[in-house]
Amino acid sequence: GAGVSQSPSNKVTEKGKDVELRCDPISGHTALYWYRQRLGQGLEFLIYFQGNSAPDKSGLPSDRFSAERTGESVSTLTIQRTQQEDSAVYLCASSLGSLNTEAFFGQGTRLTVV
Amino acid sequence: SQKIEQNSEALNIQEGKTATLTCNYTNYSPAYLQWYRQDPGRGPVFLLLIRENEKEKRKERLKVTFDTTLKQSLFHITASQPADSATYLCAEGSNFGNEKLTFGTGTRLTIIP
């Protein structure tokens, strides 16, 4: 597609369940980012991929969070045993991966844990 | 560790005036700073990028400056319009072998007609 696509756009889940969020980056973009944005807050960095490798996982809040990327394309962010504080919009972005290039964001997945 | 701070949470400006938003960083000088616009319920959209060896960048009514002495970037919107109302985010990227992009918390700009 022309832009970064994220699915689902909305997800309501019960506390304790696992969820999987998907990101389809722009074709040819080697860098891929996941951010979390709580209501009225800024963007909180979670993880960054260069190709299929994750040089920086420092933002993952706990071991319940994991992410992978395959084929230098699709990425999935998995949250296990969801908690209410995981409720947020999860944003994915991709870029060409060299310095000085803009990041293109998807519309985000709004996750609500009830 | 590096911190990116946007001093104002919210800024109200009269239509037609210039809006100026501030982004400060605390430690090392970033290789570049980027500015994004975010509307409610949407992902951020890229506006401008400025490199550490550039002092100023312009695009239509937008201007960005980068002052490595003050550790600050200013983002200006001239002849502001109500349609410019949005949250504006600055982000820094540093040349340490990876492409991590770190965002500030944003400034919510409201242009008053």
Side-chain angles (χ1 to χ4, degrees), chain B residues 33-35 47-51 54-59 61-66 72-77:
Chain B
L33 284 164
Q34 300 186 15
W35 284 87
L47 296 174
L48 279 170
L49 178 150
I50 187 165
R51 299 174 180 80
E54 297 175 321
K55 289 206 178 325
E56 184 179 295
K57 212 51 149 344
R58 289 177 186 262
K59 179 182 174 183
R61 295 185 295 112
L62 308 181
K63 183 177 86 171
V64 171
T65 62
F66 194 164
Q72 183 179 83
S73 174
L74 298 180
F75 177 81
H76 306 273
I77 306 175

Side-chain angles (χ1 to χ4, degrees), chain A residues 31 33 35 37 41-43 45 48 50 55-56 58 91 95 97-107 110, chain B residues 31-32 34 36 38 41-46 49 51 89 93-95 97-106:
Chain A
Y33 307 83
Y35 292 90
Q37 189 171 34
Q41 304 294 312
L43 271 67
F45 172 80
Y48 148 75
Q50 182 64 264
D56 193 336
S58 63
L91 288 160
S95 75
S98 59
L99 283 179
N100 307 330
T101 60
E102 66 182 279
F104 293 82
F105 280 83
Q107 297 286 60
R110 180 176 299 279
Chain B
Y32 55 92
Q34 300 186 15
Y36 288 77
Q38 187 175 28
R42 312 294 294 268
V45 174
F46 173 82
L49 178 150
R51 299 174 180 80
L89 303 161
S94 300
N95 186 7
N98 66 53
E99 306 291 332
K100 179 179 173 180
L101 202 56
T102 303
F103 281 80
T105 52

Side-chain angles (χ1 to χ4, degrees), chain A residues 27-96:
Chain A
S27 178
H29 280 193
T30 59
L32 185 147
Y33 307 83
W34 283 99
Y35 292 90
R36 178 168 72 178
Q37 189 171 34
R38 292 198 168 102
L39 189 63
Q41 304 294 312
L43 271 67
E44 178 187 2
F45 172 80
L46 297 178
I47 190 169
Y48 148 75
F49 288 92
Q50 182 64 264
N52 294 330
S53 302
D56 193 336
K57 302 180 183 180
S58 63
L60 293 177
S62 74
D63 59 7
R64 296 187 296 106
F65 287 72
S66 63
E68 66 172 15
R69 189 181 185 194
T70 56
E72 298 198 359
S73 180
V74 172
S75 176
T76 53
L77 176 69
T78 302
I79 309 173
Q80 294 178 310
R81 306 181 301 282
T82 51
Q83 304 293 313
Q84 286 187 327
E85 64 261 27
D86 298 334
S87 296
V89 175
Y90 289 81
L91 288 160
C92 174
S94 70
S95 75
L96 283 171

